Amino acid sequence: MNTLEAIYSRRSIRAFNGVQLTEEECKVILKAAYASPIGRAMYDTLSLTVITDRALIDRWEKQMQEEAGNPDLHPFYGAPTVILVSSVIGEGLMTNVNYSNAAIVVQNMAIAATEIGVGACHIWGAVRGLHGDDAVSKELKIPAGMVPCCAIALGHFDGEYAVREVQEDRIQTYFIR
Ligand SMILES: Cc1cc2nc3c(=O)[nH]c(=O)nc-3n(C[C@H](O)[C@H](O)[C@H](O)COP(=O)(O)O)c2cc1C
């Protein structure tokens, strides 16, 4: 795939088949994260937590189910790997920059996953359920001073990516000429 093919083919994968990423696939996806543009190149404001311990992912899921009062909630869709992106958040303009950095890291990983045929889904919902003092947050050992911002669920899936028709009117767009 070239870059545009990967961008046009990417879609959220919400059904994983239980097959774990290989070490090589994980490395490619992490390298894409490290290649992300980061505001003022402040890479040390960010941290990645690569979770391949399915039992921990299950505990996180259970915590979400209890919080939402919904035992049918499966926010990770059975993904065998979740990569959590945490960041220092700061104040004022830096809040925007820091959250944006985290989102860009996830998006870079999603494009790389698409390129190599690994299923991926952006995960924000389950991250909102981490409050710092809860059991799962403690297990995740987020570095001091950082806040979990967002995550990506990764794993193999039945099926494949294919270039999708992109609806060109779905984001309102104004041109000022
Ligand atoms: C900031 C952001 C947060 C998202 N959070 C979630 C999430 O928590 N769970 C989920 O299943 N999908 C999540 N998604 C995926 C979107 O629902 C999805 O990208 C959108 O519906 C378009 O579908 P597509 O990714 O297949 O093109 C998120 C996407 C973004 C960009």
Side-chain angles (χ1 to χ4, degrees), residues 10 32 40 50 54 59 62 66 68 87 98 115 120 135:
R10 187 214 55 78
R40 294 193 203 159
V50 183
R54 186 57 231 186
R59 285 195 289 281
K62 191 147 194 295
E66 283 166 2
S87 179
N98 289 325
E115 161 83 33

PDB file of all heavy atoms in Angstrom, residues 10 32 40 50 54 59 62 66 68 87 98 115 120 135:
ATOM      1  N   ARG A  10      -8.036   2.456   5.849  1.00  0.00           N
ATOM      2  CA  ARG A  10      -8.186   2.331   7.308  1.00  0.00           C
ATOM      3  C   ARG A  10      -9.649   2.385   7.701  1.00  0.00           C
ATOM      4  O   ARG A  10     -10.429   3.148   7.179  1.00  0.00           O
ATOM      5  CB  ARG A  10      -7.431   3.483   8.002  1.00  0.00           C
ATOM      6  CG  ARG A  10      -7.390   3.344   9.522  1.00  0.00           C
ATOM      7  CD  ARG A  10      -7.439   4.682  10.213  1.00  0.00           C
ATOM      8  NE  ARG A  10      -8.582   5.472   9.812  1.00  0.00           N
ATOM      9  CZ  ARG A  10      -9.830   5.283  10.256  1.00  0.00           C
ATOM     10  NH1 ARG A  10     -10.086   4.353  11.161  1.00  0.00           N
ATOM     11  NH2 ARG A  10     -10.832   6.031   9.801  1.00  0.00           N
ATOM     12  N   ALA A  32       6.003   3.678  14.101  1.00  0.00           N
ATOM     13  CA  ALA A  32       5.123   4.712  13.540  1.00  0.00           C
ATOM     14  C   ALA A  32       4.754   5.724  14.633  1.00  0.00           C
ATOM     15  O   ALA A  32       4.663   6.926  14.381  1.00  0.00           O
ATOM     16  CB  ALA A  32       3.877   4.074  12.949  1.00  0.00           C
ATOM     17  N   ARG A  40       6.435  21.104  19.639  1.00  0.00           N
ATOM     18  CA  ARG A  40       7.752  21.551  20.139  1.00  0.00           C
ATOM     19  C   ARG A  40       8.721  20.387  20.345  1.00  0.00           C
ATOM     20  O   ARG A  40       9.652  20.470  21.151  1.00  0.00           O
ATOM     21  CB  ARG A  40       7.622  22.308  21.458  1.00  0.00           C
ATOM     22  CG  ARG A  40       6.882  23.617  21.329  1.00  0.00           C
ATOM     23  CD  ARG A  40       7.092  24.415  22.612  1.00  0.00           C
ATOM     24  NE  ARG A  40       6.048  25.388  22.804  1.00  0.00           N
ATOM     25  CZ  ARG A  40       5.749  25.932  23.977  1.00  0.00           C
ATOM     26  NH1 ARG A  40       6.409  25.579  25.055  1.00  0.00           N
ATOM     27  NH2 ARG A  40       4.807  26.820  24.067  1.00  0.00           N
ATOM     28  N   VAL A  50       2.311  -0.559  26.510  1.00  0.00           N
ATOM     29  CA  VAL A  50       1.900  -1.637  25.600  1.00  0.00           C
ATOM     30  C   VAL A  50       1.386  -2.787  26.459  1.00  0.00           C
ATOM     31  O   VAL A  50       2.152  -3.426  27.187  1.00  0.00           O
ATOM     32  CB  VAL A  50       3.092  -2.108  24.728  1.00  0.00           C
ATOM     33  CG1 VAL A  50       2.637  -3.181  23.738  1.00  0.00           C
ATOM     34  CG2 VAL A  50       3.720  -0.927  23.990  1.00  0.00           C
ATOM     35  N   ARG A  54      -3.722 -10.094  28.570  1.00  0.00           N
ATOM     36  CA  ARG A  54      -5.163 -10.108  28.289  1.00  0.00           C
ATOM     37  C   ARG A  54      -5.974 -10.078  29.587  1.00  0.00           C
ATOM     38  O   ARG A  54      -7.073  -9.522  29.640  1.00  0.00           O
ATOM     39  CB  ARG A  54      -5.498 -11.332  27.421  1.00  0.00           C
ATOM     40  CG  ARG A  54      -6.897 -11.449  26.899  1.00  0.00           C
ATOM     41  CD  ARG A  54      -7.401 -10.279  26.059  1.00  0.00           C
ATOM     42  NE  ARG A  54      -8.686  -9.825  26.555  1.00  0.00           N
ATOM     43  CZ  ARG A  54      -9.456  -8.903  25.984  1.00  0.00           C
ATOM     44  NH1 ARG A  54      -9.062  -8.288  24.889  1.00  0.00           N
ATOM     45  NH2 ARG A  54     -10.586  -8.560  26.502  1.00  0.00           N
ATOM     46  N   ARG A  59      -9.686  -7.072  33.079  1.00  0.00           N
ATOM     47  CA  ARG A  59     -10.028  -6.375  34.329  1.00  0.00           C
ATOM     48  C   ARG A  59     -10.449  -4.929  34.031  1.00  0.00           C
ATOM     49  O   ARG A  59     -11.359  -4.373  34.643  1.00  0.00           O
ATOM     50  CB  ARG A  59      -8.837  -6.412  35.310  1.00  0.00           C
ATOM     51  CG  ARG A  59      -8.640  -7.769  35.960  1.00  0.00           C
ATOM     52  CD  ARG A  59      -7.715  -7.706  37.171  1.00  0.00           C
ATOM     53  NE  ARG A  59      -6.317  -7.459  36.837  1.00  0.00           N
ATOM     54  CZ  ARG A  59      -5.472  -8.398  36.391  1.00  0.00           C
ATOM     55  NH1 ARG A  59      -5.879  -9.630  36.192  1.00  0.00           N
ATOM     56  NH2 ARG A  59      -4.207  -8.089  36.134  1.00  0.00           N
ATOM     57  N   LYS A  62     -13.899  -5.074  32.707  1.00  0.00           N
ATOM     58  CA  LYS A  62     -14.856  -5.341  33.784  1.00  0.00           C
ATOM     59  C   LYS A  62     -15.123  -4.056  34.575  1.00  0.00           C
ATOM     60  O   LYS A  62     -16.258  -3.756  34.935  1.00  0.00           O
ATOM     61  CB  LYS A  62     -14.310  -6.444  34.686  1.00  0.00           C
ATOM     62  CG  LYS A  62     -15.302  -6.977  35.672  1.00  0.00           C
ATOM     63  CD  LYS A  62     -15.059  -8.468  35.940  1.00  0.00           C
ATOM     64  CE  LYS A  62     -16.223  -9.121  36.658  1.00  0.00           C
ATOM     65  NZ  LYS A  62     -16.453  -8.614  37.997  1.00  0.00           N
ATOM     66  N   GLU A  66     -18.739  -2.314  35.119  1.00  0.00           N
ATOM     67  CA  GLU A  66     -19.318  -1.999  36.429  1.00  0.00           C
ATOM     68  C   GLU A  66     -19.660  -0.517  36.505  1.00  0.00           C
ATOM     69  O   GLU A  66     -20.725  -0.130  36.989  1.00  0.00           O
ATOM     70  CB  GLU A  66     -18.361  -2.402  37.545  1.00  0.00           C
ATOM     71  CG  GLU A  66     -18.396  -3.915  37.754  1.00  0.00           C
ATOM     72  CD  GLU A  66     -17.242  -4.446  38.597  1.00  0.00           C
ATOM     73  OE1 GLU A  66     -16.409  -3.637  39.066  1.00  0.00           O
ATOM     74  OE2 GLU A  66     -17.175  -5.682  38.755  1.00  0.00           O
ATOM     75  N   ALA A  68     -20.348   1.480  34.069  1.00  0.00           N
ATOM     76  CA  ALA A  68     -21.471   1.820  33.180  1.00  0.00           C
ATOM     77  C   ALA A  68     -22.739   1.047  33.547  1.00  0.00           C
ATOM     78  O   ALA A  68     -23.810   1.320  33.002  1.00  0.00           O
ATOM     79  CB  ALA A  68     -21.077   1.532  31.737  1.00  0.00           C
ATOM     80  N   SER A  87       0.046  11.380  28.670  1.00  0.00           N
ATOM     81  CA  SER A  87       0.812  12.614  28.436  1.00  0.00           C
ATOM     82  C   SER A  87       0.750  13.511  29.651  1.00  0.00           C
ATOM     83  O   SER A  87      -0.218  13.471  30.413  1.00  0.00           O
ATOM     84  CB  SER A  87       0.225  13.359  27.220  1.00  0.00           C
ATOM     85  OG  SER A  87       0.922  14.561  26.992  1.00  0.00           O
ATOM     86  N   ASN A  98      -0.992  18.995  24.037  1.00  0.00           N
ATOM     87  CA  ASN A  98      -0.666  17.695  24.624  1.00  0.00           C
ATOM     88  C   ASN A  98      -1.714  16.632  24.283  1.00  0.00           C
ATOM     89  O   ASN A  98      -1.356  15.496  23.955  1.00  0.00           O
ATOM     90  CB  ASN A  98      -0.487  17.826  26.139  1.00  0.00           C
ATOM     91  CG  ASN A  98       0.793  18.573  26.476  1.00  0.00           C
ATOM     92  OD1 ASN A  98       1.796  18.433  25.785  1.00  0.00           O
ATOM     93  ND2 ASN A  98       0.770  19.395  27.505  1.00  0.00           N
ATOM     94  N   GLU A 115      -1.470  -0.604   7.067  1.00  0.00           N
ATOM     95  CA  GLU A 115      -0.461  -0.959   6.052  1.00  0.00           C
ATOM     96  C   GLU A 115      -0.020  -2.423   6.176  1.00  0.00           C
ATOM     97  O   GLU A 115       0.159  -3.115   5.176  1.00  0.00           O
ATOM     98  CB  GLU A 115       0.729   0.009   6.221  1.00  0.00           C
ATOM     99  CG  GLU A 115       2.038  -0.431   5.616  1.00  0.00           C
ATOM    100  CD  GLU A 115       2.138  -0.111   4.130  1.00  0.00           C
ATOM    101  OE1 GLU A 115       1.580   0.905   3.719  1.00  0.00           O
ATOM    102  OE2 GLU A 115       2.789  -0.896   3.419  1.00  0.00           O
ATOM    103  N   ALA A 120      -7.147  -2.461  13.943  1.00  0.00           N
ATOM    104  CA  ALA A 120      -6.923  -1.394  14.919  1.00  0.00           C
ATOM    105  C   ALA A 120      -8.202  -0.609  15.138  1.00  0.00           C
ATOM    106  O   ALA A 120      -8.998  -0.424  14.214  1.00  0.00           O
ATOM    107  CB  ALA A 120      -5.824  -0.452  14.423  1.00  0.00           C
ATOM    108  N   ALA A 135      -8.455   0.650  40.608  1.00  0.00           N
ATOM    109  CA  ALA A 135      -7.573  -0.529  40.603  1.00  0.00           C
ATOM    110  C   ALA A 135      -6.803  -0.669  39.292  1.00  0.00           C
ATOM    111  O   ALA A 135      -5.590  -0.923  39.294  1.00  0.00           O
ATOM    112  CB  ALA A 135      -8.416  -1.782  40.853  1.00  0.00           C
TER     113      ALA A 135
END
